[in-house]
Amino acid sequence: MDGTSPPDADASANKAGHVAVEDAVSTKVQKAAAPLYVSRIKVHPKDVKGLYRRIKWAVLALCLAVYYLAPFLRWDRGPTAPDQAILIDLPGRKAYFFMIEIWPQEVYFLTGLLILAAITLFLVTSLFGRLWCGYACPQTVWTDLFMWVERKIEGDRNARIKLDAAPYTAEKIVKRTLKHAAWIGIALATGGAWILYFDDAPTVVRDVFTGNATLTQYFFIGMFTATTYTLAGWAREQVCTYMCPWPRFQGAMLDDQSYVVTYEDWRGEKRGKLAKAAPGVDPWAGRGDCVDCNSCVAVCPTGIDIRDGQQLECIGCGLCIDACDAVMDKVGRPRGLIRFDTLANQACRAKGEPATHKFVRPRTLIYAGVLAFVGAVMLVALLSRATVELNVLRDRAPLFVTLSDGNIRNAYTIHVLNKTHAPRDFTLAVSGLQGAVLGVAGSDVAAAPVVTLAAKPDSVATYRVFVTVPSQSVRGKASSPVRFDLKPREGRGHADYDSVFLAPGR
Amino acid sequence: MPTKIEKDEITGTETTGHEWDGIKELNTPLPKWWLWTFYATIIWSIGYFIVYPAWPTLSGNTKGMLGWTQRIEIAQRLEEAKTARAPFVGRIEKASLDQIRSSPDLLNFAMAGGRSVFAENCVPCHGAGGSGAKGYPNLADDSWVWGGALDDIHTTIAYGIRNANTQSRVSQMPRFGADGVLNAKQIDDVAEYVLSLSKRSTNADAVKRGETVFSENCVACHQEGGVGSTDLGAPNLAANIWIYGGDKATIVESVRNSRAGSMPAWTGRLDDATIKMLAVYVHALGGGK
């Protein structure tokens, strides 16, 4: 009973069930009494030092270095192809990733890559929790960078809270201007680096600074500058809690054997300020290790209290662990009141039993198995990737032509895809039709059973090819199957294409 | 309009006053940023009305401040396209047909240009891809009434066939039946002979009689054995390709009333470069010699 019920109701409701129902109803009302929509409470994360913070800096530096420097890596592909290691060549309709080269019709490699990334995320999350969210996610990395800038210019948590509340004085205006200028500077670099992946990087850098870049390039720099500035500078943890889908289903990959950031409530509770005890009396008697200093809340980039347990907003970065360990050191209690641990371990620890963590579980086995399978399929597909491809389009007007000697001729548009960096000659032949001869439109070479088609490096050669067949070969058949066979003159490879040959049918 | 103003007990917010199956809705106004965006679009639209042609009036429409219209824009675009094509068009004008065919970039340009001009001007009669129709020759086969070499095709396109142009190709087949040159029996016999040229006759006696009629009346143009003459525009009757149809009734009809298909001259309608491109394109359809 919460005391709001009149005493006589208490007396009449002597049945336990009735009391329980009343209780439940009153809690419900209390919960609902909180406003449906709360304006954002601005988070001012405090600076913290420690192991996890150091790891986070290291990952941040690595991610940014890869992002900014990768476009400048070179990879020699010969004179006919670009030498940028990672390049998405939109006008040329090719994507390059070191030794891998992808044509538009092979975009399934990209799908495969995304599937691989997703399964890796599942596996890592089920083993070690939300490492992606806490360390490697671009939102986390750039937000962290922006916070660092903010801290350098406006000071740490308390200074920032004070500055926020202060009226606009010259000092505040200067600090704010500086901060936003620095943010926009970083955002510009971010947007600028993005377009380096779509064109030759050194040329783009020169063009951008000399004003010779295309409008499209400036537009995308602007767009990514704006999104970086907005998301990392202003939206921050709101991206994680409201916009991002990952936290919703990353939670589904966790179980009680996954490593997560946990609070040992069995050890920390009952929490409270550390009071001065009389000499000879243990100040820790009858209470938990948590001194309720709120450090873990103050450093949290998403502004939550880890002592409330697992929650959606927790990105698993572990900064609260660093903060708490420092406090535990100061008050002379063992570290690890907030720690990286599994929920199962925590349960064991609470009961004083040895930890029971299981690394290999059905979930991790399935993820690892699927990962290995998809990886193997991708590898096989990549290694057996054909360097020649053939596409055949039958001309529809006219469907067929009767020649003066009674022979029947069909025309086909042939696309020869030469995926090597060298010019190649191919031989084209047809099978399935008795006495068929091939001729190439625009060529003066006489029709023959086999014709030679040349293709430039890294390109699609288009030919119109006539297939002429003696009328007796197709007599009575309106449609006959025909197969085109394409082979390079030298080297390996082979491509074929099944089409049909149409005839009058009489 | 709210039917009655009441406050929601829990949140202290006014409700809309409506009730649907016991559910009431809080009267929460739109966010300010949303409203301001909406107002901004209204202001934007006013500016738009002033700058661009927008309001219809009784005698036309407002012109806007920039004097911009889609017509002017498309005229500019066409002009730009023409400028971009100019160097190629200039080269095509100077080059001979064989030079166009042997230069890859000119050929590429001519094929693309020829294709689009063909689609606009020739397809109604000759069909997509030059497939032809009754009375209109198939341009993709290897049989040509007036010749299938590049120059022949060019001349045919430029001056046409049996039209008012002084250089147009002309030849006339007599109306053997209608003008009483041959009687019905002779016409039937000669038709049987013509069928025999493509090995389809079933009446050897008629063929024999028809051969005499043919040698007396038809050989001058259609040549010995009916192989035709491209100089005279006399179709090959021995091949299995027929412009009007190769069955006996059609052949009889052709002999009786003659055939005189006509094609307009394209000089004057299309410029020289375009006609050259068309000739190269038609030549490449598959029948070019």
Side-chain angles (χ1 to χ4, degrees):
Chain A
M1 299 302 287
D2 55 11
T4 51
S5 317
D8 55 291
D10 234 350
S12 64
N14 48 7
K15 277 181 193 162
H18 189 192
V19 174
V21 167
E22 284 249 310
D23 233 10
V25 168
S26 64
T27 359
K28 232 185 211 166
V29 170
Q30 271 173 355
K31 269 205 173 153
L36 290 172
Y37 176 79
V38 192
S39 296
R40 179 195 182 201
I41 300 160
K42 201 174 170 197
V43 183
H44 298 88
K46 192 170 162 10
D47 197 13
V48 63
K49 286 179 179 58
L51 174 67
Y52 293 99
R53 182 65 264 187
R54 280 202 301 279
I55 297 174
K56 209 156 142 63
W57 282 136
V59 176
L60 180 142
L62 181 73
C63 288
L64 290 178
V66 167
Y67 177 67
Y68 287 113
L69 298 180
F72 294 96
L73 292 178
R74 300 289 110 180
W75 189 270
D76 185 27
R77 295 188 181 87
T80 56
D83 66 346
Q84 188 156 320
I86 304 169
L87 178 69
I88 298 159
D89 181 7
L90 289 178
R93 306 280 190 277
K94 309 260 167 54
Y96 303 92
F97 187 82
F98 295 94
M99 72 291 277
I100 303 171
E101 186 182 328
I102 291 175
W103 285 45
Q105 61 270 42
E106 296 168 326
V107 138
Y108 52 79
F109 279 121
L110 189 68
T111 315
L113 207 65
L114 290 175
I115 293 172
L116 274 187
I119 302 166
T120 311
L121 179 75
F122 298 169
L123 179 63
V124 168
T125 305
S126 68
L127 287 176
F128 306 113
R130 291 172 58 181
L131 290 188
W132 167 258
C133 289
Y135 293 88
C137 168
Q139 174 65 19
T140 286
V141 168
W142 263 273
T143 301
D144 220 17
L145 183 67
F146 273 45
M147 282 178 184
W148 176 80
V149 169
E150 188 171 67
R151 206 171 284 135
K152 285 287 159 216
I153 293 169
E154 295 186 346
D156 205 3
R157 177 179 159 88
N158 292 339
R160 291 209 304 277
I161 293 174
K162 229 152 95 192
L163 191 72
D164 261 2
Y168 269 93
T169 59
E171 190 202 355
K172 180 166 173 174
I173 292 169
V174 168
K175 279 187 175 172
R176 281 282 144 95
T177 315
L178 260 178
K179 176 177 88 173
H180 289 288
W183 279 359
I184 289 171
I186 297 171
L188 262 172
T190 309
W194 181 261
I195 64 166
L196 298 182
Y197 288 88
F198 294 84
D199 238 317
D200 182 58
T203 317
V204 173
V205 172
R206 198 170 51 241
D207 285 351
V208 165
F209 284 107
T210 54
N212 289 325
T214 63
L215 206 61
T216 318
Q217 288 174 320
Y218 285 120
F219 170 78
F220 277 101
I221 293 180
M223 199 169 93
F224 287 103
T225 304
T227 48
T228 310
Y229 173 71
T230 317
L231 294 180
W234 293 90
R236 294 190 171 178
E237 82 286 350
Q238 299 179 97
V239 174
C240 312
T241 42
Y242 302 118
M243 292 163 70
C244 182
W246 290 120
R248 265 93 192 155
F249 67 86
Q250 280 214 352
M253 276 140 227
L254 299 169
D255 55 21
D256 61 354
Q257 300 286 348
S258 312
Y259 272 95
V260 288
V261 177
T262 57
Y263 165 66
E264 301 193 318
D265 53 358
W266 55 271
R267 165 149 95 94
E269 303 298 325
K270 163 178 167 221
R271 67 180 92 143
K273 295 270 178 261
L274 189 58
K276 252 204 181 120
V281 182
D282 182 7
W284 296 98
R287 54 160 295 151
D289 283 356
C290 176
V291 294
D292 209 7
C293 64
N294 246 20
S295 286
C296 51
V297 181
V299 300
C300 179
T302 60
I304 55 157
D305 189 343
I306 190 62
R307 295 170 299 177
D308 294 343
Q310 298 300 306
Q311 47 212 293
L312 176 138
E313 291 90 340
C314 176
I315 56 170
C317 66
L319 293 186
C320 48
I321 303 177
D322 285 342
C324 189
D325 280 351
V327 172
M328 287 297 109
D329 287 351
K330 214 179 285 170
V331 298
R333 303 300 287 179
R335 286 178 161 216
L337 178 59
I338 300 173
R339 69 192 312 163
F340 209 52
D341 206 350
T342 70
L343 295 179
N345 276 356
Q346 280 298 341
C348 293
R349 245 190 259 277
K351 284 185 259 167
E353 292 165 6
T356 60
H357 176 244
K358 282 199 293 273
F359 218 64
V360 179
R361 332 191 275 280
R363 171 189 296 262
T364 57
L365 278 180
I366 290 168
Y367 289 148
V370 175
L371 188 66
F373 175 74
V374 176
V377 169
M378 289 264 297
L379 196 69
V380 168
L382 257 179
L383 290 179
S384 59
R385 177 180 177 273
T387 57
V388 50
E389 224 175 284
L390 174 68
N391 283 309
V392 176
L393 279 161
R394 236 191 60 79
D395 275 12
R396 284 176 175 76
L399 285 173
F400 57 85
V401 171
T402 308
L403 300 180
S404 43
D405 54 7
N407 291 352
I408 312 293
R409 191 177 71 195
N410 280 200
Y412 301 83
T413 301
I414 304 254
H415 295 292
V416 177
L417 281 69
N418 176 15
K419 295 184 190 170
T420 60
H421 300 309
R424 282 204 289 180
D425 281 345
F426 295 91
T427 57
L428 182 74
V430 285
S431 53
L433 292 170
Q434 196 73 41
V437 286
L438 295 167
V440 181
S443 144
D444 293 324
V445 178
V450 175
V451 289
T452 302
L453 306 175
K456 288 180 191 155
D458 267 319
S459 58
V460 184
T462 303
Y463 290 95
R464 203 157 158 264
V465 166
F466 300 116
V467 177
T468 309
V469 169
S471 56
Q472 60 268 25
S473 292
V474 287
R475 182 159 294 147
K477 283 185 284 187
S479 171
S480 326
V482 58
R483 167 170 287 193
F484 288 84
D485 292 295
L486 187 76
K487 282 190 190 111
R489 266 279 173 78
E490 281 146 23
R492 285 185 323 114
H494 167 84
D496 53 34
Y497 197 98
D498 288 321
S499 186
V500 290
F501 187 93
L502 297 192
R506 57 186 151 76
Chain B
M1 283 295 292
T3 45
K4 57 179 195 264
I5 306 250
E6 66 174 343
K7 279 206 168 174
D8 175 56
E9 281 172 22
I10 294 166
T11 59
T13 312
E14 273 180 22
T15 70
T16 56
H18 300 294
E19 191 174 325
W20 295 272
D21 297 337
I23 298 169
K24 290 174 189 172
E25 186 186 24
L26 296 184
N27 186 9
T28 315
L30 286 171
K32 282 284 183 296
W33 67 265
W34 199 100
L35 277 178
W36 285 116
T37 311
F38 176 59
Y39 297 144
T41 59
I42 294 175
I43 292 166
W44 176 268
S45 69
I46 293 169
Y48 197 94
F49 281 137
I50 296 167
V51 173
Y52 289 104
W55 298 108
T57 62
L58 286 176
S59 58
N61 58 294
T62 56
K63 299 290 175 236
M65 279 163 62
L66 300 177
W68 179 94
T69 71
Q70 285 184 331
R71 277 169 201 278
I72 294 174
E73 188 168 280
I74 198 140
Q76 281 171 348
R77 296 264 172 90
L78 285 173
E79 201 53 47
E80 279 167 22
K82 213 172 163 186
T83 318
R85 290 172 54 214
F88 271 109
V89 173
R91 281 172 64 196
I92 295 238
E93 269 168 4
K94 286 196 206 83
S96 75
L97 290 166
D98 279 323
Q99 281 168 341
I100 296 172
R101 245 192 107 215
S102 56
S103 147
D105 59 335
L106 280 189
L107 178 66
N108 194 26
F109 186 81
M111 287 298 285
R115 181 180 297 116
S116 77
V117 178
F118 189 87
E120 252 176 70
N121 298 284
C122 315
V123 162
C125 294
H126 287 290
S131 53
K134 186 179 176 183
Y136 303 99
N138 183 333
L139 304 177
D141 66 24
D142 61 343
S143 168
W144 295 88
V145 180
W146 294 97
L150 265 176
D151 280 331
D152 295 333
I153 295 171
H154 183 260
T155 307
T156 305
I157 297 171
Y159 306 115
I161 294 160
R162 295 183 196 97
N163 60 41
N165 189 294
T166 50
Q167 284 170 276
S168 115
R169 297 196 186 272
V170 186
S171 68
Q172 188 61 58
M173 170 165 168
R175 306 197 297 164
F176 290 100
D179 292 344
V181 182
L182 298 175
N183 62 33
K185 175 98 178 29
Q186 288 171 309
I187 292 173
D188 194 73
D189 288 346
V190 84
E192 202 61 47
Y193 173 71
V194 168
L195 279 178
S196 79
L197 294 175
S198 47
K199 301 185 180 64
R200 291 180 294 144
S201 171
T202 50
N203 186 340
D205 294 341
V207 169
K208 205 142 199 225
R209 292 192 299 272
E211 188 171 4
T212 319
V213 179
F214 191 86
S215 62
E216 283 166 4
N217 297 281
C218 314
V219 161
C221 293
H222 288 289
Q223 310 290 313
E224 206 65 59
V227 295
S229 160
T230 53
D231 294 336
L232 301 168
N236 181 350
L237 305 178
N240 225 335
I241 295 170
W242 302 89
I243 299 172
Y244 293 91
D247 56 300
K248 189 172 173 190
T250 310
I251 296 171
V252 166
E253 160 76 13
S254 296
V255 178
R256 187 185 291 135
N257 293 328
S258 122
R259 301 286 185 185
S262 169
M263 166 163 149
W266 294 93
T267 310
R269 301 191 195 203
L270 302 175
D271 59 51
D272 289 351
T274 306
I275 290 176
K276 278 185 178 175
M277 291 196 284
L278 254 182
V280 171
Y281 175 73
V282 170
H283 185 266
L285 281 176
K289 301 218 161 152

